[in-house]
Amino acid sequence: MVPLAAAETVVADKCPIECLNGAVCKKGDADYSLHPTADNGSAFPFQEDTNREGWFCDCPAGWTGIRCGREYAVCDDQDT
């Protein structure tokens, strides 16, 4: 058996994540670019993990996080 390099990700055969709130598990990395960010523009700590064993939950609108367990609302200009 050859040891894995530190940067390699082992991709599981089956999704190891229990997705929440109607999310669908997919292979790859989550894209949080359209999700809310902290006041300084950086990702929230719960958005730093973009996959688990090569899988992520594709969140429906209004949900974020690796398992889609964090609810958010997008405010328009009238709400500020």
Side-chain angles (χ1 to χ4, degrees):
M1 183 182 259
V2 177
L4 295 173
E8 288 185 58
T9 301
V10 176
V11 178
D13 292 333
K14 287 177 31 175
C15 180
I17 308 171
E18 181 184 338
C19 297
L20 304 172
N21 300 304
V24 176
C25 193
K26 297 182 177 182
K27 283 188 178 182
D29 290 311
D31 177 8
Y32 296 123
S33 63
L34 298 177
H35 292 228
T37 58
D39 290 339
N40 65 1
S42 65
F44 289 108
F46 59 84
Q47 294 172 321
E48 291 175 1
D49 291 330
T50 59
N51 77 63
R52 186 169 296 152
E53 296 180 43
W55 295 80
F56 73 99
C57 295
D58 189 13
C59 303
W63 296 95
T64 190
I66 194 71
R67 295 178 59 212
C68 303
R70 302 236 180 206
E71 188 173 18
Y72 72 89
V74 177
C75 301
D76 60 27
D77 291 339
Q78 295 175 357
D79 292 338
T80 58

